[in-house]
Amino acid sequence: MDSRDLAQYLEATDSISKPWLLVQLRLKKLQERRATLSPDAYAHELADIHEDLMKLGEWWHSIEDEVF
């Protein structure tokens, strides 16, 4: 599945509001662009995605049934 397919899936399943899936989309897009990026640029973008993922924390506690 490429980033376009993943984006279409997220739209079709009304999953745009699920931040962990948006992180997955960002990772897929980065993976597709890896060959065109320098190692430093790739590492920087990957670190940025990781930082955003860590900010998600455990926001889902007590609302698991609603979001998963």
Side-chain angles (χ1 to χ4, degrees), residues 49-68:
I49 294 170
H50 179 262
E51 181 180 340
D52 289 344
L53 179 62
M54 294 298 101
K55 287 178 185 175
L56 292 178
E58 296 183 358
W59 59 270
W60 47 267
H61 275 280
S62 76
I63 58 170
E64 293 94 335
D65 292 336
E66 297 173 34
V67 297
F68 294 112

Side-chain angles (χ1 to χ4, degrees), residues 12-54:
T13 59
D14 197 27
S15 298
I16 297 295
S17 63
K18 297 178 179 175
W20 63 94
L21 292 177
L22 295 177
V23 168
Q24 186 175 1
L25 179 60
R26 288 178 64 197
L27 283 170
K28 180 54 82 174
K29 287 180 171 253
L30 179 60
Q31 178 186 24
E32 293 169 354
R33 294 181 20 234
R34 185 174 190 176
T36 64
L37 297 172
S38 70
D40 288 338
Y42 177 79
H44 177 73
E45 289 193 36
L46 186 59
D48 185 52
I49 294 170
H50 179 262
E51 181 180 340
D52 289 344
L53 179 62
M54 294 298 101

